[in-house]
Every structure is written in structure tokens, then in C-alpha cells.
């Protein structure tokens, strides 16, 4: 990476349904707060995020969202072509070679993805060892997002998508927070 002067990028996927993640809150003693939610429906939002770091530049977060309302024929998640479009967008925004590190998700290792990666000379890919989500800074992004969505009860899937998009955009303008996600993994970047 240092020889290439490349962006080091960590990618991961996540998802959220209408049922909010559990979180702590304050209430009067003896009165357990209850948040009622409409948990029906098969809709969900799928997210993919890339945490990008390069010496001399601020840390960046680039994400994409897919809303699945549960309708017939609607895509439920990201596929190989979606990842390729995302990687092309990341390359265009960052403007340099990319060293991508991601997990062994099925769509990351199959033949179609290997072919798409081979067609991009500016992209070098490494994979995390199996069962090591604690090494991926993008996991910190999802944890922070889900914590911020705790105790919220959106009425619709579109409202949930808007809340998630707003929270992720806030993270994009907090490079110190993104640096914290990288530091939390224990991965130490080379000094400038």
C-alpha cells in the first residue's frame, strides 16, 4: 500500500428491519418503558459501507443503501454488479489506487466477483481471515448506526431509510469518529 500510495479501504454489509435495536433509556423507577413497533412486513434496508484511509488525507466513509419493501421481483440485497458499481464510485471519489480489505462473503469470492476485480487494474483485494469481524472498522460504523437507532420506532421502511441515511451522512463529516473505528480494531497505520 505504501509503495502504491493507495487508499486502504475496509468494506462490509449490514441490514436493518423496522424492529429497532434494543437500547437503554431513562424512566421512572418501577415503570419499564415500552416502545410498541409494527414488526410486521418483510421489508428491510440493506447497507454497504466502505471506510477509506490514506496518509495525508482525512478518513472517508462511502456508503450505499438498498430499500427492500417486500414486493415481488424487488432485489433483497447487494450482488456482484452492485459491488462493482460501488467500487467504481469509490475509485472515482477517491481518485487513486485502492487496496480493499473485506470478508469472505459469498458474493465477494465467487467467480463473477473475481472477474470484476481482475478487470480493474487500480484495485488490489485482500480478505480478512474467517470469523474476524473485530478487525473490520466498518463493523464499528454499523454498531454506531444501530446504537443511534435504538429506542426509535419508525412508522415505515422509508422513514427508517431516511433516519439511517441521515445518521450515516453525519458520520461522513466526522473523520475523527472514523479514525476511532480504525483504532478500535487494533490495526495501527504506519506513521506519516
Amino acid at each position: 500500500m505504501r509503495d502504491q500510495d493507495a487508499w486502504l479501504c475496509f468494506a462490509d454489509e449490514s441490514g436493518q428491519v423496522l424492529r429497532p435495536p434494543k437500547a437503554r433509556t431513562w424512566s421512572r423507577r418501577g415503570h419499564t418503558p415500552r416502545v410498541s413497533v409494527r414488526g410486521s412486513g418483510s421489508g428491510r434496508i440493506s447497507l454497504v459501507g466502505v471506510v477509506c484511509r490514506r496518509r495525508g488525507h482525512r478518513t472517508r466513509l462511502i456508503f450505499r443503501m438498498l430499500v427492500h419493501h417486500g414486493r415481488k421481483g424487488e432485489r433483497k440485497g447487494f450482488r456482484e454488479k452492485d459491488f462493482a458499481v460501488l467500487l467504481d464510485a469509490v475509485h472515482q471519489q477517491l481518485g487513486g489506487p485502492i487496496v480493499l480489505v473485506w470478508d469472505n462473503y459469498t458474493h465477494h469470492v465467487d467467480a463473477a466477483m473475481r472477474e470484476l476485480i481482475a478487470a480493474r487494474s487500480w484495485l488490489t483485494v485482500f480478505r480478512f481471515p474467517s470469523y474476524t469481524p473485530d478487525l473490520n472498522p466498518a463493523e464499528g460504523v454499523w454498531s454506531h448506526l444501530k446504537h443511534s437507532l435504538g429506542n426509535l420506532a419508525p412508522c415505515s421502511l422509508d422513514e427508517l431509510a431516511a433516519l439511517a441515511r441521515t445518521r450515516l451522512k453525519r458520520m461522513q463529516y466526522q473523520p475523527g469518529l472514523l479514525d476511532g473505528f480504525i483504532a478500535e480494531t487494533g490495526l495501527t497505520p504506519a506513521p506519516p
Side-chain angles (χ1 to χ4, degrees):
M1 182 183 96
R2 184 179 288 162
D3 297 339
Q4 297 178 10
D5 194 31
W7 285 87
L8 178 60
C9 298
F10 301 93
D12 194 33
E13 302 81 28
S14 184
Q16 182 66 42
V17 293
L18 279 175
R19 177 173 288 149
K22 290 183 181 180
R24 294 184 180 267
T25 187
W26 293 93
S27 70
R28 292 186 347 215
R29 180 177 288 202
H31 294 84
T32 304
R34 301 272 182 215
V35 178
S36 57
V37 294
R38 195 188 109 227
S40 64
S42 60
R44 63 176 283 130
I45 59 172
S46 295
L47 301 158
V48 62
V50 184
V51 176
C52 309
R53 182 178 187 130
R54 183 178 183 182
R55 192 169 14 132
H57 294 79
R58 70 177 178 87
T59 305
R60 308 268 306 266
L61 171 65
I62 301 170
F63 70 92
R64 295 293 183 267
M65 180 182 302
L66 181 67
V67 180
H68 173 66
H69 291 92
R71 298 180 185 130
K72 187 175 182 177
E74 198 174 35
R75 291 184 308 157
K76 294 182 181 179
F78 292 94
R79 303 293 296 193
E80 293 87 350
K81 289 183 182 179
D82 300 315
F83 290 122
V85 169
L86 172 66
L87 292 174
D88 290 338
V90 169
H91 176 63
Q92 185 175 9
Q93 286 185 27
L94 300 177
I98 294 173
V99 175
L100 177 68
V101 185
W102 61 8
D103 56 13
N104 291 311
Y105 179 55
T106 305
H107 297 297
H108 296 173
V109 297
D110 64 7
M113 195 68 218
R114 285 194 307 267
E115 186 177 309
L116 290 167
I117 290 169
R120 289 155 177 80
S121 62
W122 45 264
L123 181 63
T124 306
V125 176
F126 293 99
R127 300 195 195 311
F128 283 113
S130 298
Y131 307 109
T132 55
D134 52 329
L135 293 179
N136 193 343
E139 293 285 347
V141 172
W142 306 136
S143 175
H144 188 77
L145 173 66
K146 290 187 181 199
H147 179 73
S148 73
L149 293 174
N151 294 333
L152 295 176
C155 295
S156 69
L157 205 57
D158 294 326
E159 187 179 340
L160 174 64
L163 286 168
R165 186 175 291 111
T166 300
R167 301 244 181 340
L168 288 168
K169 284 189 178 198
R170 272 191 217 153
M171 280 189 246
Q172 285 181 320
Y173 292 102
Q174 297 177 331
L177 179 65
L178 299 173
D179 288 335
F181 296 147
I182 294 172
E184 186 179 41
T185 64
L187 301 172
T188 54

